[in-house]
Amino acid sequence: MVTEPVRILVVGGGYVGMYTALHLQRKLKPELKRGAVEIVVISPDPYMTYQPFLPEAAAGSISPRHVVVPLRRVLDKCRVIVGEVRSVDHAKRTASFTTLATVEEGAGPLDITYDELVLAPGSISRTLPVPGLADYGIGFKTVEEAIGLRNHVIEQMDIASSTRDPAVRDAALTFVFVGGGYAGVEALGELEDMARYAARYYHNVKAEDMKWILVEASGRILPEVGAEMGKYTVSQLRKRNIDVRLETRLDSCEDRVAVLDDGARFPTRTVVWTAGVKPHPLLAATDLPLTDRGRLKCTAELAVDGAPHAWGAGDAAAVPDVTADEPGKECAPNAQHAVRQAKVLGDNIAASVRKQPLKEYAHKYVGSVASLGLHKGVAHVYGRKLKGYPAWFMHRVYHLSRVPTLNRKSRVLAEWILSGLFKREIVSLGSLEHPRAEFELAAGGERPKESR
């Protein structure tokens, strides 16, 4: 009698999804070899993005293809499906998903059954009903957005350099970033650094002509590095003539004018939205228990509470922090926890398959590092506070050690060495966003309108 293999379905190819599948294919190597276990990964993208490197990719310090890890190469013992899970019926152990092929075929969603479920779809940008945001806002969560933003900033400098209209020039050289967390501060720091360098190659655009504005609703930025380092970061940004506005909100960005709740108005062609994230909408399309904030309710063993054979970690999961002094505290939804949770998650799923006891996830938060541009940074690690070059160097060393695969580590290190020996690249490849534009124009079509 032939028995069906135990199917482990991993939903999502981000930190948790990729690292869990990677750990599982190592941990369950004997079972995979004899066909007793099957690991299926369903992800909207065929790669995992190492998001801490997005600011450097936007600044041109790292090639965009080196901040992503191809899932099929890394997960060679898994079945990788590029698709999007639409719903999960855990009572029936079934997930419904679509692929590019189902769209082309005009067919409905496909169903896949599973024995163990890892739900790790991650998070999406948390937007607010700000007038004009959907029309003019730019996100900063994917590698495509990072490269698009880099191209956009350089294109605005080209517009400012060639226009005769002072109003157009002023709007082109005004860059508004909303959100004072990691994504906003690091993206602003790296892009301002890059634009200031690029300005030396323009005959009529100077660094002081540009306005960089950071808008943060709370009274501090980078809360992860502590109050003291947050204040230091604000002072350093202001020394670079960056307008940091705390306890301020974006009221509107209609008609390319950023209106703040303190009354300030900035004509601008660039509004970057990095004001937090929220759970992926897939979680609401499951029959699994969720918290008030819409995240999976998980135990310290990373199992979904009250749902046997369902597991969660990372942004999508509310995991109790067993190392915290205060009861009821949850692990922060960041990469530091996600990577470590994935290892424990892989161990526990393997233990569950083998009918072995589970272990709790326990990791005391060690601190944070943040880059503010080339040779500039802040860090608060193991109680020690660093600033400037040492913090920037620690940022690079730490993330180089965390990026998966020796292949990517080597390529990133090589690019850093080369960027230290040669000048920065200041080329905009905005045409990549419309690769058929020239052919369509030659064939009698119209050039696509500028969307930003």
Side-chain angles (χ1 to χ4, degrees), residues 12 19 78 83 87 89 117 120 134 142 191 214 218 223 225 236 248 262 302 314 361 363 373:
Y19 278 108
C78 302
S87 63
D89 187 342
L117 172 69
T142 67
L191 284 164
L214 177 63
S218 70
V225 299
Q236 290 301 302
T248 307
D262 62 1
L302 303 174
Y361 171 73
H363 170 67

Side-chain angles (χ1 to χ4, degrees), residues 112-131:
I112 183 171
T113 58
Y114 59 83
D115 298 287
E116 303 282 346
L117 172 69
V118 178
L119 197 54
S123 57
I124 62 173
S125 296
R126 177 175 59 85
T127 58
L128 298 174
V130 176

